[in-house]
Amino acid sequence: MNSVSIVEWNGLKAVKVDGKFADAVVTLHGAHVVSYIPKGGKDLLWISKKCVFTDGKSLRGGVPVIWPWFGSAGKPSHGLARLTDWTLTGSMLCDCGSVRLDFSFTPVQPEWKFLSAKLSVTIGKKLKLELTSLNSGTKDYSLTQAFHTYFAVSDVSKVRVTGLEDAEYLDRVAGDTKRQSGAITFDSETDRCYISTADAVIDDPGFGRRIRIAKSNSGSTVVWNPWIEKARKMADFGDEEYPEMLCVETACAFDQAVTLKPGVPYTMTSVISAE
Ligand code: TA6
């Protein structure tokens, strides 16, 4: 039976869904999906044990909404949307038994008030995220954005990511551009922005599951694991946690920025499912 309730999750106001097909928790802070558990399965998402749950700080894990800029294109890094509360504007039980939650966000900073965002989170056999951006200003805006999704994996050194074979990528660790040969495997810090519109699949033999990340209106897929040294430098990331997570991010980043024209909405979608 579906139920939707407002709860407190680590001191943050959150929407808890006990659904027909999956259970989930979404905090108002950042409209941040922090848990998505298909019925009979394990959480697909990872949260650091050192996560900090305060306004003005992003949650380390789940699905941070990176908007309206990716990386250090602006200040603070990875945008404004993940740092503060969104407004829950609706919840709906869909005919198929899924539950849809709707959130909206407009920056309070005067210089950014011309932009607004809506996020729809559909919790069903799959987790569907739809981020719609609107430019109410008078000039084009170069939008970069991402669903910075932290997936729970058994051991990152034993998983493979497929679907991005032969794609060109910006290697942000080496500082150069390469082309992917075969599946992506992990044995050191990995921070790559692939130019791709394809689905990516995390093949995790340890958990006996494959996680598919399908998407639309996203020209980039960012793949990130901090590995040992970078993990140690992050206060909200446990020193020994890097093997249990992997970010595969549905994004419009770097050269795949989107020109957001005044009055013309743009929706980026990510659909996550365990196979
Ligand atoms: O998406 C990968 C990345 O840009 C990495 O370079 C790393 O900075 C990661 O995001 C986490 O960034 P954050 O600001 O959440 O610590």
Side-chain angles (χ1 to χ4, degrees):
M1 184 56 195
N2 282 307
S3 75
V4 179
S5 50
I6 300 294
V7 300
E8 188 173 283
W9 182 86
N10 290 298
L12 297 174
K13 202 170 183 183
V15 186
K16 185 172 183 337
V17 174
D18 293 317
K20 179 179 177 182
F21 301 114
D23 296 343
V25 177
V26 187
T27 63
L28 269 59
H29 177 80
H32 198 126
V33 185
V34 291
S35 175
Y36 170 73
I37 308 173
K39 286 296 184 205
K42 283 196 283 273
D43 207 330
L44 269 59
L45 303 178
W46 174 86
I47 296 271
S48 171
K49 295 179 186 63
K50 309 272 273 191
C51 182
V52 176
F53 307 98
T54 57
D55 202 41
K57 177 104 177 75
S58 177
L59 303 177
R60 181 67 66 191
V63 186
V65 177
I66 308 299
W67 185 92
W69 60 81
F70 183 93
S72 51
K75 289 281 175 278
S77 175
H78 281 345
L80 303 165
R82 63 177 184 165
L83 303 175
T84 192
D85 280 10
W86 289 48
T87 301
L88 176 65
T89 56
S91 68
M92 183 174 73
L93 173 59
C94 307
D95 293 346
C96 63
S98 300
V99 175
R100 195 181 98 184
L101 305 175
D102 292 312
F103 300 85
S104 66
F105 176 74
T106 301
V108 293
Q109 295 84 346
E111 67 271 34
W112 293 109
K113 286 177 78 81
F114 70 97
L115 289 173
S116 60
K118 289 182 180 173
L119 177 69
S120 289
V121 180
T122 302
I123 295 128
K125 290 177 184 170
K126 301 181 181 182
L127 172 64
K128 184 175 183 182
L129 304 164
E130 298 167 283
L131 179 62
T132 299
S133 302
L134 184 65
N135 175 357
S136 304
T138 56
K139 291 183 287 188
D140 290 356
Y141 173 70
S142 183
L143 172 70
T144 55
Q145 59 182 353
F147 294 119
H148 196 297
T149 312
Y150 287 75
F151 291 97
V153 297
S154 57
D155 177 345
V156 72
S157 67
K158 297 188 172 64
V159 307
R160 299 169 351 120
V161 173
T162 58
L164 298 171
E165 293 83 354
D166 301 324
E168 189 176 296
Y169 66 91
L170 173 61
D171 183 335
R172 301 181 67 209
V173 176
D176 60 9
T177 299
K178 300 185 174 76
R179 189 167 294 279
Q180 182 60 36
S181 171
I184 308 169
T185 55
F186 303 89
D187 61 8
S188 60
E189 180 185 354
T190 305
D191 191 349
R192 304 175 182 179
C193 181
Y194 287 84
I195 302 172
S196 173
T197 58
D199 294 7
V201 178
I202 301 171
D203 190 357
D204 185 346
F207 278 169
R209 73 181 177 192
R210 290 157 39 95
I211 299 177
R212 179 172 297 273
I213 303 99
K215 61 179 191 171
S216 62
N217 284 348
S218 154
S220 329
T221 299
V222 177
V223 178
W224 179 61
N225 184 284
W227 214 256
I228 300 166
E229 289 316 310
K230 185 136 191 189
R232 286 201 180 128
K233 290 176 185 163
M234 293 187 282
D236 62 347
F237 197 114
D239 291 356
E240 309 309 322
E241 289 186 321
Y242 73 91
E244 58 193 53
M245 57 70 65
L246 176 63
C247 284
V248 177
E249 306 162 29
T250 296
C252 301
F254 304 109
D255 292 348
Q256 289 72 47
V258 171
T259 299
L260 199 57
K261 293 193 166 304
V264 181
Y266 185 89
T267 299
M268 177 177 75
T269 301
S270 187
V271 180
I272 294 164
S273 56
E275 300 177 337

